[in-house]
């Protein structure tokens, strides 16, 4: 006839009876910390459950995404080269988007999205080729880039994590 959960602080959560199955009771609970509840049941004759049943919820913290660059660090390249940029991304609950951002000289930064909506708990590799000729690079230019990843925090807001900064120094053709 009635069911409720009671936590260690004495706060109660009523369980609602399902319309289709009267034997089924439900509640939506979103704990912010580890919780332990004791289940209370009362039947139609006002008898309570004799066996104590406990339910526990262990709340896992939503960690920041992890980015590991898979490039060898700073690079010297000719203005005609294509440079591979590659990183592995990981998040415990999933990534919204991930990619890298680059800037050539004093030009405004450009963002490249390598992927989106990746499920949590697994590594995903994002890679792209940066075509220095298509970017209009010239000898003695400097391209700065970093990797980034976005996930959703506990409040539902998007948060972004960035990697270290890497550089591509555009060398002269005759320089080896």
């Amino acid at each position: 006839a009635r069911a409720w959960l009671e936590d260690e602080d004495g706060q109660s959560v009523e369980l609602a009876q399902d319309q289709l199955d009267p034997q089924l009771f439900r509640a939506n609970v979103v704990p912010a910390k580890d919780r332990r509840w004791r289940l209370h049941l009362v039947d139609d004759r006002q008898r309570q459950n004799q066996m104590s049943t406990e339910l526990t919820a262990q709340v896992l913290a939503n960690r920041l995404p992890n980015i590991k660059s898979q490039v060898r660090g700073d690079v010297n390249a000719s203005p005609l080269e294509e440079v591979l940029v590659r990183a592995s991304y990981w998040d415990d609950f999933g990534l919204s988007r991930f990619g890298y951002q680059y800037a050539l000289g004093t030009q405004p930064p450009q963002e490249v999205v390598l992927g989106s909506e990746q499920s949590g708990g697994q590594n995903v590799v994002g890679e792209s080729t940066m075509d220095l000729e298509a970017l209009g690079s010239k000898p003695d230019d400097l391209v700065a880039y970093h990797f980034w990843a976005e996930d959703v925090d506990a409040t539902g807001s998007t948060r972004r994590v960035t990697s270290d900064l890497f550089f591509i120094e555009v060398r002269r053709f005759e320089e080896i």
Side-chain angles (χ1 to χ4, degrees):
R2 182 173 175 237
W4 71 95
L5 299 172
E6 185 177 339
D7 67 10
E8 54 267 343
D9 298 332
Q11 295 179 335
S12 295
V13 176
E14 281 291 325
L15 301 174
Q17 193 171 22
D18 190 82
Q19 299 295 328
L20 300 175
D21 184 0
Q23 300 289 323
L24 187 64
F25 287 78
R26 299 176 189 261
N28 288 329
V29 180
V30 182
K33 62 178 186 170
D34 290 356
R35 304 293 297 249
R36 185 179 302 254
W37 296 277
R38 191 161 164 241
L39 176 63
H40 295 276
L41 302 171
V42 177
D43 68 8
D44 57 353
R45 295 188 205 164
Q46 301 304 311
R47 295 179 295 191
Q48 292 193 3
N49 53 321
Q50 293 180 356
M51 301 286 287
S52 178
T53 302
E54 282 194 358
L55 301 172
T56 58
Q58 182 179 9
V59 177
L60 302 175
N62 186 356
R63 297 186 301 198
L64 292 171
N66 188 353
I67 304 170
K68 289 185 181 173
S69 172
Q70 295 184 345
V71 294
R72 61 182 188 264
D74 296 342
V75 176
N76 286 329
S78 78
L80 300 177
E81 278 190 62
E82 295 177 350
V83 178
L84 177 70
V85 291
R86 180 183 173 132
S88 68
Y89 301 86
W90 181 90
D91 188 60
D92 49 357
F93 290 104
L95 295 167
S96 304
R97 297 183 326 143
F98 58 93
Y100 70 97
Q101 183 174 343
Y102 69 90
L104 171 62
T106 58
Q107 295 177 8
Q110 301 294 316
E111 190 169 279
V112 177
V113 177
L114 297 176
S116 63
E117 300 302 327
Q118 293 293 319
S119 59
Q122 58 186 336
N123 273 325
V124 61
V125 175
E127 68 179 24
S128 178
T129 303
M130 200 179 308
D131 185 353
L132 298 180
E133 182 179 19
L135 294 178
S137 69
K138 301 179 299 303
D140 298 326
D141 277 348
L142 187 66
V143 179
Y145 69 97
H146 68 271
F147 299 99
W148 55 266
E150 294 176 347
D151 74 342
V152 178
D153 67 9
T155 65
S157 301
T158 300
R159 63 182 174 187
R160 180 177 274 206
V161 174
T162 59
S163 72
D164 291 337
L165 192 60
F166 299 96
F167 297 99
I168 301 171
E169 187 177 344
V170 182
R171 63 174 169 77
R172 298 179 185 279
F173 287 110
E174 59 274 2
E175 187 181 323
I176 298 175

